[in-house]
Amino acid sequence: QVQLVESGGGLVQPGGSLRLSCAASGRTFNDSIMGWYRQGPGKQRELVALINSGGITRYAASVKGRSTISRDNAKKTVYLQMNSLKPEDTAVYYCYYDSTGQPTYWGQGTQVTVSS
């Protein structure tokens, strides 16, 4: 089993920045893909960004150019730096972990609110 602990959410003004962190523990695998999904009020859950163990990334069009995903394999931690935040970025952000042949794991979610 894998445990995912998220941090870094909170209230920020439009145009501000946040850095989300997610630390994995337990029986993790080196070939894992980690990333972030989000679910805004009255909306479906959507992909934000993914990164594999080699550092290859994928971003949603809505955040590309404003966000950077990275990971520290030694710390088993994935980060999401979000800049130029907009009210439409308001959502619960969920950490994601997946490895071939293993179950998918999710964090508990951390609230990001962008409001003036």
Side-chain angles (χ1 to χ4, degrees), residues 50-61:
L50 296 173
I51 184 169
N52 71 6
S53 59
I56 306 301
T57 60
R58 175 187 173 191
Y59 296 93

Side-chain angles (χ1 to χ4, degrees), residues 20-24 34-36 51 69-72 76-80 95-96:
L20 306 182
S21 299
C22 175
M34 298 186 70
W36 298 89
I51 184 169
I69 188 169
S70 61
R71 68 189 287 169
D72 185 332
K76 298 182 179 180
T77 300
V78 64
Y79 306 93
L80 182 67
C95 185
Y96 167 91

